[in-house]
Amino acid sequence: VSGEVFEANNMTFLVQSVNNDPATNELAWFAVTVNAILGHWRYEEYYDDDLNLIEEWVDKGDIHAYGEIITAEMRQRDPGLLEGARYIFQCPKSAGIQLLDRIVYEGENYKVESVDPIAMPGISRIQASMDTRP
């Protein structure tokens, strides 16, 4: 299924698409090698039992993803790239990434600036910029 993560030969893969091959009536799939493990955090506000407002970053778990650093060449080819974005990550939609979530990659915090859920079924393409929020 598109968005599924699986392991084979000590490598982890993210399935991008799955289609039925009419010639053989078997499934033909395309996958990329996972090259990033992302920490997924969301800023949440709630009230405790004494009605004090609690604001904190909540860990939503790790996400297997395929990532690329945004280069000048990519900016020329893709006019949809945001100015401050540093990385593009392909993540399973099941991870539930939303705008303004925090992604932790290689010890650095990144803010989710864009979530494109349409390009590939089962995959969200996110753009992430440096996150300076506390």
Side-chain angles (χ1 to χ4, degrees), residues 107-126:
E108 298 286 332
N109 294 335
Y110 295 91
K111 179 170 55 171
V112 175
E113 297 282 355
S114 169
V115 179
D116 177 4
I118 297 173
M120 289 178 270
I123 301 284
S124 290
R125 180 179 181 252
I126 66 168

Side-chain angles (χ1 to χ4, degrees), residues 9 13 34 40 59 62 72 91 93 125:
N9 295 331
F13 297 91
V34 168
H40 180 204
D59 186 356
D62 289 340
C91 307
K93 276 186 189 174
R125 180 179 181 252

Side-chain angles (χ1 to χ4, degrees), residues 36-42 57-65 89 91 95 97 101-112 126 128 131:
I37 305 293
L38 308 176
H40 180 204
W41 294 77
R42 182 166 297 140
W57 287 99
V58 177
D59 186 356
K60 298 293 185 177
D62 289 340
I63 301 170
H64 290 80
F89 293 105
C91 307
I97 296 176
D101 280 355
R102 175 174 282 169
I103 298 298
V104 179
Y105 175 61
E106 294 186 343
E108 298 286 332
N109 294 335
Y110 295 91
K111 179 170 55 171
V112 175
I126 66 168
D131 191 354

Side-chain angles (χ1 to χ4, degrees), residues 43-48 50-56:
Y43 193 73
E44 294 184 357
E45 299 177 342
Y46 59 92
Y47 291 95
D48 66 9
D50 297 324
L51 298 179
N52 296 315
L53 178 64
I54 307 296
E55 301 172 302
E56 64 183 356

